[in-house]
Amino acid sequence: DLHPPVISLAFSPGLGLFMAVLVQMTITGKSFTGGTMEITVAANLTASSQLWQDATGTPTFRTRSCHIALISVKTNLPSRMLPKVMSKFLDSTLQKVLPDLLCPAVDAVLNLVNAKFSTMTSEIPLGTAGTLQYALLNPPVTRETFIELDLKTILHQKEGKEVKLPMDQPPLASLPPKKDAATQLVLSASFLNAELSVLLVSFNLGISNNTVLGLPPLVTTMLGALIPEIAKVLPPSQPVVIEMREVTAPVVSITQGKSFVQLFSTATFWVSPSDSAPEFLFALDVHSNLEAQFSVAEEKLQLSLALQSVPQMALASSSLGMFDELPLKGLLAEIIPAAYVPSINRVLHEGLPLPNLLGITYQRANVSGFEVG
């Protein structure tokens, strides 16, 4: 009959965990006199485990030592029926038997914890754009009151090609202080840059009069009115399609005040007659600044963008000759927030999966500055 153990855990700085377990059990059997004998044993189990990094980049606990110390051994037999030599024999037998009986339980508990750690390195789909995988960048570090895991992300595009990520890490001094009694997840801007780069192909959008309500009329007559120097070479009153495409990875900047995403897009203008193939007109390089809002839902980091400004725009190529593209800036400042940004936000609504750390949930997480706590 094994009584519920009393377990005490403590972090061993630089190593892993220290465990002390008070074990009490009652062993029942027949005595040499033919009656029922009960032996009540109290023992103290102490074990230490090391937290290290395996070949797959997964945190793993392994037992370093396990010791059993007998505290007391009592029987229901009168002392006159249990000679001193018998007591010594009982003590020595228990000293030999208990480690093989109890120490494997420590390994079993650690294996359960390791099984939870192993889910952290599973591949996670990023919609249909690719996959994400978390792994340890450096061996785990055990502090006096918490464990610190330095994670890296392994990103693959839909075709299986791995996305190269910067290996430079922010200095620890720049990270927010650890809060008591809380699990803290600090996400870097480079992490978000990498994840958004995998989703780039999903941001592409063709914008026409039928895309959303409230757009300016997208016809060649409107373009001619904005840019008189090309009015004569434009076909009259033909529908125009603007193809928005990201050409380089977004740049995310995160501060404790506001966070921003810079998009570097190409806006390609086409004439799209109903009875023939689209004809290329010109393409613009567009640099947009968007404010980013973060939240957590369904164990994922949610990101929502809102256009702040279009600081730069330049003519990249043209079939109509050179012209002053500045009058088109106001047009794009209307089209991007009305059609393009909502389309990107629909893609981002799928969320960025957060690491599965020992089965913790993020349902009650607070997002502040550049951390998820």
Side-chain angles (χ1 to χ4, degrees):
D1 180 18
L2 189 63
H3 299 255
V6 179
I7 302 174
S8 301
L9 292 175
F11 290 112
S12 298
L15 290 176
L17 282 177
F18 174 79
M19 182 187 305
V21 184
L22 176 61
V23 180
Q24 295 175 294
M25 64 177 69
T26 301
I27 303 170
T28 305
K30 288 185 178 181
S31 73
F32 53 85
T33 62
T36 300
M37 182 178 67
E38 289 186 353
I39 304 174
T40 302
V41 179
N44 195 33
L45 179 153
T46 57
S48 64
S49 60
Q50 181 180 5
L51 181 59
W52 61 296
Q53 175 181 355
D54 70 9
T56 65
T58 305
T60 303
F61 281 110
R62 60 182 175 188
T63 304
R64 295 179 69 248
S65 63
C66 179
H67 301 287
I68 306 291
L70 279 175
I71 299 175
S72 66
V73 179
K74 298 178 180 179
T75 73
N76 64 335
L77 297 178
S79 58
R80 60 182 173 79
M81 297 182 62
L82 194 67
K84 185 176 290 187
V85 64
M86 192 65 180
S87 296
K88 288 184 177 180
F89 171 76
L90 187 61
D91 285 355
S92 63
T93 301
L94 289 173
Q95 289 279 15
K96 294 176 183 178
V97 171
L98 288 180
D100 290 339
L101 179 67
L102 298 177
C103 285
V106 176
D107 293 328
V109 171
L110 294 181
N111 287 338
L112 291 174
V113 177
N114 291 336
K116 288 182 175 293
F117 269 136
S118 66
T119 61
M120 186 190 77
T121 58
S122 302
E123 277 197 339
I124 310 168
L126 289 174
T128 59
T131 61
L132 162 68
Q133 187 176 7
Y134 290 98
L136 284 174
L137 179 62
N138 298 307
V141 178
T142 305
R143 309 290 186 187
E144 288 187 358
T145 57
F146 64 93
I147 294 173
E148 184 179 297
L149 302 179
D150 191 6
L151 302 179
K152 65 178 179 180
T153 50
I154 303 169
L155 289 159
H156 288 93
Q157 296 173 333
K158 180 172 60 175
E159 301 80 10
K161 181 181 178 182
E162 185 174 346
V163 179
K164 297 299 180 182
L165 306 179
M167 299 302 292
D168 295 336
Q169 297 298 305
L172 291 180
S174 68
L175 300 181
K178 172 71 176 67
K179 297 178 180 178
D180 293 336
T183 298
Q184 226 167 336
L185 176 65
V186 181
L187 304 177
S188 68
S190 60
F191 163 84
L192 296 172
N193 286 339
E195 293 215 38
L196 291 182
S197 69
V198 174
L199 299 173
L200 276 188
V201 67
S202 303
F203 293 170
N204 297 340
L205 180 68
I207 302 170
S208 65
N209 279 327
N210 300 321
T211 304
V212 293
L213 296 175
L215 287 180
L218 297 180
V219 291
T220 51
T221 308
M222 177 270 296
L223 291 180
L226 289 174
I227 311 171
E229 56 261 51
I230 66 171
K232 294 180 181 180
V233 294
L234 286 172
S237 301
Q238 292 294 319
V240 170
V241 173
I242 305 173
E243 183 183 9
M244 299 294 299
R245 182 181 297 271
E246 296 304 306
V247 291
T248 59
V251 175
V252 181
S253 57
I254 303 176
T255 66
Q256 294 205 32
K258 290 186 177 181
S259 301
F260 295 93
V261 175
Q262 298 180 65
L263 294 181
F264 303 92
S265 319
T266 296
T268 305
F269 287 69
W270 302 81
V271 172
S272 183
S274 58
D275 57 351
S276 61
E279 299 177 18
F280 170 72
L281 295 176
F282 55 86
L284 303 172
D285 289 333
V286 183
H287 174 195
S288 307
N289 282 338
L290 302 100
E291 184 176 349
Q293 296 289 335
F294 297 100
S295 61
V296 174
E298 298 179 353
E299 307 304 314
K300 296 179 181 180
L301 181 68
Q302 302 283 341
L303 177 61
S304 178
L305 304 179
L307 182 69
Q308 295 296 300
S309 64
V310 182
Q312 294 180 1
M313 188 184 71
L315 185 65
S317 59
S318 172
S319 67
L320 307 175
M322 301 303 294
F323 57 87
D324 179 15
E325 72 279 2
L326 190 59
L328 293 172
K329 191 172 183 178
L331 173 65
L332 287 178
E334 291 184 63
I335 289 176
I336 291 175
Y340 191 41
V341 173
S343 175
I344 293 175
N345 283 337
R346 284 191 290 272
V347 174
L348 297 178
H349 186 69
E350 290 290 327
L352 305 177
L354 296 170
N356 186 349
L357 299 173
L358 296 180
I360 65 171
T361 64
Y362 299 93
Q363 294 176 358
R364 300 173 66 182
N366 295 318
V367 182
S368 61
F370 50 164
E371 59 182 287
V372 178

